[in-house]
Amino acid sequence: MDMPTVAIVGRPNVGKSTLFNRLVGKKLALVDDRPGVTRDRREGDVAFGGLHFRVIDTAGLEESDAATLMGRMRMQTEAAILAADAVLFVIDARAGVLPADQPFAELVRRAGCPVILIANKAEGGTGLAGAYEAFTLGLGDPIPFSAEHGEGLGELHEALKGVLPKPDPEDDDADEDAPGGRSLKVAIVGRPNAGKSTLINRMLGEDRLLVGPEAGITRDSISLDWEWRGRKIKLHDTAGMRRRARIDDKLEKLAVSDGLRAVRFAEVVVVLLDATIPFEKQDLTIIDLVESEGRAVVIGLNKWDLVADQPGLLKQLREDCTRLLPQVRGVAVVPLSGLAGEGLDKLMQAVVQASEVWDKRISTSRINDWLSEATSRNPPPAVSGRRIKIRYATQVKSRPPHFALFGNQLNALPKSYTRYLVNGLRETFELPGTPIRLSLRTSENPFDKG
């Protein structure tokens, strides 16, 4: 079949060409801070995690007379939209939704093809408020994204996979939709010499990866196909992650960067600890990184066959985990031995369960029943004599579960109260171990005009 096409559209200077370069993997499109640098449609072929498509970078959409240069650029963009199988509609998350975005959102809607809304320039969580303003465009859930830093690529991949035509069955990558279902993407990460490659070799039942006592043997992020209980799994072995200050070798720096990319593409990340020296500072840093990337987490205690007093130690380590990692409270902690092949089935059960929790959707009515009870039991504090009121809550996306609260003066809500709400969501709706995101929106609830 012909390669599907994806058009990148949006007003000038929202980062369309940077996104184009990111997808193509080369700096084909000129990028500058000045708006309107792109004038012609630029096309490039993309191979993106098993997806193959042609991407079109378009001129920034502006209202202009058809006879002018800007008008002709707009016509080129409209032609690209009409020919596309899917549209990536890009806004600037830091600027939020501007009046200029609205007519072009209407244009894209009228075209009738699938639209993926990208709130660009949201690196490190900045611009999230602007990203959620994008709901007003009526184009679905926005993906907080950073074309410059590669944040949000995993979410974009999932969205594209849902809207692009299915690949030809003869295609090498068509196994994603073969009987047995889509592959669950699992990354194995940890400090150097935690036993990641040994564990994967044991899972595969062959010495597929080079192993040895020396730390840092693995340099590339290796992707391997595997099947567990009839479930397709795509395993990513990664280079050991060390503190940046300790990395001198350029190849190792590249390898660690590759490992970060594997985390971003994964759905579940197994953080492998050495049970003989668990929860070192670097282990906590890695788990914190995985949580900040919004991935489901499972902790594997490798080399369990080398420790004494296993029941007592396991109880102690699970208590340590609750104390040291409140941001992933309830995370599965699984003792195992990659070398001896012990605990692998329990590890995979925990991985599949973590992916289901990460993908969980909760109805708005259930969330608001919980919210009413939670705020009655422990009301929000008052600010300047006026009580903060949370009127309404909804889940805006999953993978990981992300909730939005609407009310008045929510920007003054103390961190201790947002922690109370997050913990309540986690316990009430059984969301152990997964990152939970909470957006606070000072706005009227459309269902509560009082």
Side-chain angles (χ1 to χ4, degrees), residues 81-82 84-85 87 106-115:
I81 292 170
L82 291 172
D85 292 286
V87 169
E106 183 60 32
L107 173 69
V108 170
R109 267 198 302 273
R110 283 202 309 268
C113 67
V115 182

Side-chain angles (χ1 to χ4, degrees), residues 229-256:
R229 293 190 179 181
R231 178 80 182 257
K232 289 177 180 290
I233 309 288
K234 192 174 280 291
L235 291 171
H236 292 270
D237 183 26
T238 61
M241 295 182 176
R242 293 194 286 170
R243 272 197 304 119
R244 201 169 287 278
R246 291 187 179 176
I247 301 174
D248 301 316
D249 181 70
K250 185 180 179 184
L251 269 175
E252 193 180 346
K253 283 184 180 177
L254 291 171
V256 171

Side-chain angles (χ1 to χ4, degrees), residues 186 203 226 228 233 344-353:
V186 180
M203 287 172 157
W226 181 51
W228 176 77
I233 309 288
L344 304 193
D345 214 47
K346 287 185 178 175
L347 176 68
M348 288 310 302
Q349 288 175 31
V351 163
V352 170
Q353 189 174 0

Side-chain angles (χ1 to χ4, degrees), residues 87-321:
V87 169
L88 304 183
F89 190 94
V90 185
I91 69 158
D92 183 336
R94 290 180 296 197
V97 174
L98 299 186
D101 290 309
Q102 295 287 355
F104 301 113
E106 183 60 32
L107 173 69
V108 170
R109 267 198 302 273
R110 283 202 309 268
C113 67
V115 182
I116 297 169
L117 182 58
I118 294 179
N120 194 30
K121 306 183 185 179
E123 48 265 22
T126 60
L128 272 183
Y132 288 102
E133 269 184 42
F135 277 107
T136 61
L137 293 172
L139 297 175
D141 290 3
I143 298 175
F145 199 84
S146 170
E148 189 170 355
H149 298 92
E151 295 177 16
L153 281 171
E155 288 84 353
L156 176 57
H157 180 268
E158 287 300 316
L160 283 167
K161 194 159 59 177
V163 299
L164 289 181
K166 297 294 183 278
D168 192 285
E170 295 179 5
D171 194 326
D172 288 340
D173 297 297
D175 65 332
E176 291 288 320
D177 297 288
R182 183 181 62 81
S183 294
L184 175 63
K185 294 185 280 292
V186 180
I188 314 285
V189 304
R191 285 185 286 119
N193 218 21
K196 299 180 291 297
S197 297
T198 303
L199 172 62
I200 290 181
N201 280 343
R202 176 61 71 168
M203 287 172 157
L204 299 174
E206 59 175 304
D207 291 337
R208 172 66 178 76
L209 301 173
L210 186 63
V211 297
E214 305 86 358
I217 287 179
T218 302
R219 277 186 163 163
D220 294 317
S221 173
I222 308 292
S223 174
L224 300 157
D225 291 311
W226 181 51
E227 198 167 291
W228 176 77
R229 293 190 179 181
R231 178 80 182 257
K232 289 177 180 290
I233 309 288
K234 192 174 280 291
L235 291 171
H236 292 270
D237 183 26
T238 61
M241 295 182 176
R242 293 194 286 170
R243 272 197 304 119
R244 201 169 287 278
R246 291 187 179 176
I247 301 174
D248 301 316
D249 181 70
K250 185 180 179 184
L251 269 175
E252 193 180 346
K253 283 184 180 177
L254 291 171
V256 171
S257 171
D258 211 28
L260 293 176
R261 272 196 298 276
V263 167
R264 286 170 181 154
F265 275 105
E267 294 163 286
V268 182
V269 178
V270 175
V271 182
L272 206 60
L273 311 187
D274 183 333
T276 62
I277 44 169
F279 292 122
E280 297 240 301
K281 185 177 179 183
Q282 186 62 4
D283 294 324
L284 301 177
T285 302
I286 292 169
I287 295 167
D288 200 46
L289 165 77
V290 175
E291 191 278 337
S292 69
E293 289 293 336
R295 299 297 171 252
V297 187
V298 171
I299 295 175
L301 295 171
N302 197 24
K303 308 182 186 179
W304 193 246
D305 49 331
L306 303 181
V307 304
D309 183 24
Q310 293 180 345
L313 180 61
L314 184 57
K315 183 183 178 194
Q316 178 61 50
L317 291 178
R318 283 180 169 151
E319 288 172 359
D320 290 346
C321 189

